[in-house]
Amino acid sequence: MQATYRAMLRDDVAPALRALGCTGSGSRYTLPDPESWALLGFQSSRFNTREHLTFTVNLCAVPRIVWESRRREQSQLPLKPSPGTYYGDFVWSWRLGHLMPVDQDVWWDLNEDVEATDVASEVVTAIEAYGLPAFREHLRTGTAGRPRRALG
């Protein structure tokens, strides 16, 4: 399933996200903004098998000036944040499912019984309908809901 997952990200998800204004490839994308990091990342489960793979989508945003200030205080922080890492309440971090009407963790499934293109379409639709508007609202106002305490 790993090969199917990588192909789905490359062939279906990446072109769709680029059409929506994102840059990136593989499992990491950026919604370009000159003043903030707005990052989206795909996270596959550590419990995946050859026959079954699940994954979710993490989002994070933080003003670049805030990130740089924190990096000066905490030298272990990377040059830019990772969407799947919890850094503290100074970073807006969400799992996509919590931005959707279900407001809970959502993990998408890939296995031999599902078409990867259908899964990709569902994920991209959720990103377009819920993830990108939340990013844009957060970047515009700095408030797109409550910050997550953890991505776990």
Side-chain angles (χ1 to χ4, degrees):
M1 278 298 114
Q2 280 293 333
T4 301
Y5 176 63
R6 285 190 303 272
M8 179 196 73
L9 290 176
R10 180 190 65 234
D11 300 338
D12 301 312
V13 172
L17 290 180
R18 287 187 198 112
L20 294 171
C22 295
T23 61
S25 63
S27 63
R28 301 247 174 126
Y29 296 86
T30 300
L31 183 62
D33 183 274
E35 296 178 7
S36 296
W37 290 112
L39 306 166
L40 182 148
F42 290 79
Q43 175 188 339
S44 61
S45 170
R46 64 179 174 218
F47 302 110
N48 289 334
T49 66
R50 288 182 184 211
E51 299 82 26
H52 186 250
L53 182 143
T54 61
F55 68 93
T56 192
V57 180
N58 300 310
L59 300 95
C60 77
V62 60
R64 291 174 191 257
I65 193 166
V66 170
W67 185 255
E68 288 306 315
S69 172
R70 291 297 178 120
R71 283 192 70 235
R72 283 190 293 279
E73 297 168 7
Q74 302 172 36
S75 61
Q76 77 279 10
L77 291 176
L79 287 175
K80 72 178 189 177
S82 171
T85 302
Y86 178 73
Y87 297 102
D89 288 341
F90 70 98
V91 176
W92 179 85
S93 299
W94 287 87
R95 285 253 173 91
L96 181 58
H98 288 276
L99 300 170
M100 297 165 57
V102 295
D103 191 17
Q104 65 185 23
D105 241 357
V106 173
W107 290 77
W108 283 268
D109 294 302
L110 283 178
N111 59 57
E112 63 184 33
D113 296 329
V114 299
E115 288 292 326
T117 55
D118 294 341
V119 175
S121 177
E122 182 180 324
V123 171
V124 169
T125 297
I127 291 168
E128 182 177 19
Y130 306 104
L132 295 181
F135 263 150
R136 290 184 179 108
E137 177 67 12
H138 178 73
L139 294 174
R140 184 177 69 76
T141 66
T143 58
R146 64 199 186 281
R148 294 261 335 258
R149 295 293 305 165
L151 286 169

